[in-house]
Amino acid sequence: MRKPLIAGNWKMNGSLALLDSMNQTLSSARISSSVDVAIIPPFTLLMQAGKVLEGSGIGLGAQTLHPESSGAYTGEVSASLLKECGVSHVLVGHSERRTLFNEDDQAVLVRVKAALDAGLVPILCVGETLEEREADQVETVVLGQVRTVMDALSQEQCSRLVIAYEPVWAIGTGRTATPEQAQQVHAMIRAWLSDKEPALGEGMRLLYGGSMKADNAADLLSQPDIDGGLIGGASLKPDDFIAICHAAG
Ligand code: 3PY
């Protein structure tokens, strides 16, 4: 059985005040122990988040990392610096990083490797644009993104990854994939993983991301190959985020 993971990607949003209210809401929410929960705030909140969440069982994620462990990379943050804040997870290859910051598959791969080397759990984000979907290229694009990373890793490394399928056309647009559309792509990714190694297909958590909200979470999460969610806007509203966590468990 795969334990669902609900992770809230705050993007360039949030504040110390939101961190406090999220922490209070999460700690009084009685979230089932059968669900893993993580919040992914901006870099500047990580140190404080690490302190506030210590011992709570809530995971802490970062939104990206630099592949080198240290050096003259003004403005960048390495895996070891993230770990000092108490970070356990890191997003890699979010579509906003791929498009706005020109991170191609190779840039994604080196970041996944750096995260794994440091003992962080990379959440590898993959997904197609609307044009690619309309041109019938979902399989080529999504499996291409998965393959570039997975084929360059050992089986043990692959087993430490989480994959998030986030159709680009559903990110920040309010449009959501239907449960059937999402399930279809998740099943395709899982079939590819199983083909590579049955235990990988069986064990890997595949999250859905792209406008998952309190009112559509239950339907998406009830799909057999959807093992959680990477939540955008709704993760900034403590009550909505908790409702999604409850829907997962
Ligand atoms: C969204 O739902 O908008 C996301 O990008 C989650 O990462």
Side-chain angles (χ1 to χ4, degrees):
M1 266 306 280
R2 296 177 296 271
K3 191 173 181 183
L5 168 64
I6 301 296
N9 176 12
W10 289 11
K11 308 191 181 184
M12 201 172 70
N13 298 297
S15 59
L16 286 168
L18 179 64
L19 185 59
D20 264 352
S21 67
M22 185 63 77
N23 181 43
Q24 276 170 27
T25 314
L26 281 169
S27 44
S28 55
R30 296 176 183 279
I31 294 167
S32 157
S33 58
S34 59
V35 183
D36 284 336
V37 176
I39 60 164
I40 311 180
F43 284 146
T44 52
L45 295 175
L46 287 175
M47 186 60 91
Q48 179 63 11
K51 288 185 190 144
V52 169
L53 297 177
E54 197 172 1
S56 66
I58 306 293
L60 181 61
Q63 298 175 14
T64 182
L65 78 167
H66 192 273
E68 296 298 330
S69 54
S70 62
Y73 300 101
T74 301
E76 294 293 317
V77 177
S78 68
S80 57
L81 293 172
L82 295 176
K83 284 195 80 174
E84 272 201 326
C85 300
V87 165
S88 49
H89 293 66
V90 60
L91 298 181
V92 185
H94 189 281
S95 72
E96 287 152 14
R97 300 292 317 172
R98 291 181 190 262
T99 53
L100 302 175
F101 300 97
N102 303 319
E103 289 180 10
D104 61 13
D105 280 342
Q106 284 311 311
V108 170
L109 173 60
V110 290
R111 283 165 176 74
V112 167
K113 284 184 172 165
L116 288 168
D117 287 348
L120 296 174
V121 176
I123 302 179
L124 168 66
C125 303
V126 297
E128 82 288 355
T129 62
L130 189 57
E131 295 70 41
E132 289 162 342
R133 174 164 280 265
E134 285 172 352
D136 239 352
Q137 287 174 346
V138 178
E139 179 170 344
T140 315
V141 172
V142 172
L143 290 188
Q145 291 169 341
V146 171
R147 204 181 279 127
T148 310
V149 171
M150 304 297 257
D151 282 350
L153 301 177
S154 71
Q155 199 176 310
E156 185 279 327
Q157 287 174 313
C158 289
S159 71
R160 290 192 275 135
L161 241 72
V162 173
I163 293 180
Y165 167 59
E166 299 206 303
V168 179
W169 46 273
I171 293 183
T173 59
R175 281 183 71 174
T176 317
T178 63
E180 295 71 27
Q181 282 173 321
Q183 165 58 24
Q184 203 176 30
V185 180
H186 281 235
M188 178 189 80
I189 298 172
R190 197 175 304 289
W192 185 86
L193 293 168
S194 298
D195 221 37
K196 187 171 173 65
E197 169 58 46
L200 258 189
E202 189 58 37
M204 181 153 307
R205 291 193 283 190
L206 303 182
L207 315 185
Y208 170 77
S211 302
M212 189 188 271
K213 306 185 198 85
D215 62 4
N216 60 21
D219 281 348
L220 286 158
L221 292 167
S222 68
Q223 300 299 312
D225 290 299
I226 299 185
D227 310 312
L230 182 56
I231 319 301
S235 72
L236 299 168
K237 299 176 197 144
D239 290 341
D240 289 19
F241 187 58
I242 302 301
I244 298 172
C245 296
H246 285 316

